[in-house]
Amino acid sequence: MTYNQMQPAHPARPATVGKGADVKTFATAVLLTFGTGLLMMDGWALLDSGFGAFLGLVGGGFGIFWWRSIHGKVFPRELSTKSVVILTVINVVLVLLLLLQVS
């Protein structure tokens, strides 16, 4: 009679994520922060008061909450390039809106 010993199970190795994911996470952090600041500045320029900046801050908070509801985390480790591009386009539109209000 032979006795077959079981081999020890190897622990699961975490999937390695490259530097691209780190760059996208950093870009997301910068763009969300910059976008919230832009919303505050747009609110200030639109209403010409601190209340407009407050409304922009509230809008930025809701935007970050919405982002979290879509991606599961505010700064997810694995993020699609499409999401970062859309966030960049939104920030460009906010900059253009601010420039139109100032001039």
Side-chain angles (χ1 to χ4, degrees):
M1 179 187 288
T2 61
Y3 181 74
N4 294 330
Q5 288 184 336
M6 294 184 65
Q7 297 295 325
H10 296 286
R13 295 182 183 176
T16 57
V17 181
K19 300 248 186 241
D22 293 337
V23 170
K24 286 191 267 187
T25 303
F26 178 73
T28 300
V30 168
L31 290 171
L32 283 174
T33 306
F34 185 66
T36 302
L38 280 173
L39 274 173
M40 289 178 66
M41 289 171 45
D42 281 338
W44 184 282
L46 187 63
L47 296 179
D48 199 25
S49 69
F51 184 67
F54 175 73
L55 288 178
L57 181 64
V58 170
F62 278 117
I64 292 172
F65 179 76
W66 173 73
W67 178 268
R68 183 176 156 252
S69 70
I70 289 176
H71 296 290
K73 292 181 179 179
V74 176
F75 305 120
R77 184 80 171 129
E78 291 136 5
L79 186 65
S80 69
T81 305
K82 180 181 176 183
S83 295
V84 178
V85 169
I86 290 172
L87 195 57
T88 304
V89 168
I90 290 171
N91 279 312
V92 168
V93 168
L94 288 173
V95 167
L96 292 176
L97 182 65
L98 181 63
L99 291 175
L100 286 174
Q101 291 175 3
V102 171
S103 59

